[in-house]
Amino acid sequence: MSHSQKFKSILLFGPPGAGKGTQGKILDAIPGFFHMSVGDVFRSIDADSDEGQEIRKYTSVGQLVPDSVTIQIWNNALNDFIASSKYNPDEDILLLDGMPRNVAQTELIADHVEVAKIINLDCSDEDEMVKRIQQRAIKENRSDDADENIIRQRFEVYRQQTRPVLDQYSADTIAIAQAVGTPAEVLGRILEIAIPIQNEHVLQNN
Ligand code: ADP
């Protein structure tokens, strides 16, 4: 990574269907926030390329892409976003969606990322999330969203590999936002947590 400082970040955290992508896209439109979804980066890679085929071996069955591949692609994508001025680390809070997704990735990003807050989108109603994912499948044509077995597999991966990431951070770094409600309601809850972090970032850089 060429940038010498750590990237001030908020992790958008939560199970599949909790609304990380929906909220990330809305927040990305607000100056001072940059949303980066690892899933979106993976889907932007040509499915016919060797890399694209390697990625789809895992995403299509609801498994995590191996860490070495994931970290390299994440690193390159981040550098591209900086080079093309989409993301300005001195001005923007990085909203990380889908990273880290296991404990090993937590360690792999620790040198580059300053985790200012983790916003845990909390939803105890798994059926509600499955419903959201199935609706998204129709709109976004995502094969990993269409099959209920693959969706359930992703929940299993979340429970076993991703949720333990929370134990790597101190309790005061973690904030819970209720994920049930309209997108506008959930947005309000996230902003209450994110605005103070953004204000702090602006102060630090002025
Ligand atoms: P969702 O949050 O609904 O599971 P994403 O778009 O975030 O959807 O991710 C889609 C798929 O991309 C995941 O099921 C996984 O296979 C892969 N993926 C995303 N982020 C990571 C990551 N950090 N490490 C490994 N695989 C990942």
Side-chain angles (χ1 to χ4, degrees), residues 13-15 18 119-125 129 175-180 189:
F13 201 85
I119 300 182
N120 187 11
L121 286 169
D122 189 46
C123 180
S124 50
D125 186 351
M129 291 184 282
I176 295 176
Q178 180 55 246
V180 179
R189 295 169 194 145

Side-chain angles (χ1 to χ4, degrees), residues 16-17 20 37-40 42-43 58-59 62-65 70 97-99 101 105 136 142 144 154:
K20 305 182 294 286
S37 152
V38 178
D40 285 349
F42 283 160
R43 282 183 290 277
Y58 301 94
T59 58
Q63 293 293 343
L64 297 185
V65 176
T70 301
D97 163 359
M99 178 66 80
R101 231 165 160 123
Q105 290 179 6
R136 178 173 75 185
R142 271 180 62 170
D144 65 333
R154 279 154 58 204

Side-chain angles (χ1 to χ4, degrees), residues 128-164:
E128 162 71 20
M129 291 184 282
V130 171
K131 214 168 68 194
R132 288 182 184 179
I133 292 171
Q134 286 172 326
Q135 279 161 358
R136 178 173 75 185
I138 302 163
K139 272 200 232 147
E140 296 181 13
N141 195 23
R142 271 180 62 170
S143 55
D144 65 333
D145 279 351
D147 180 324
E148 180 155 353
N149 288 327
I150 296 173
I151 298 172
R152 300 275 175 202
Q153 172 60 35
R154 279 154 58 204
F155 279 112
E156 201 48 40
V157 168
Y158 174 77
R159 276 190 288 271
Q160 286 181 7
Q161 300 185 51
T162 307
R163 205 162 49 191

Side-chain angles (χ1 to χ4, degrees), residues 18-37:
K20 305 182 294 286
T22 302
Q23 295 298 328
K25 281 191 198 94
I26 303 171
L27 292 160
D28 186 70
I30 303 174
F33 290 111
F34 178 73
H35 171 234
M36 181 186 193
S37 152

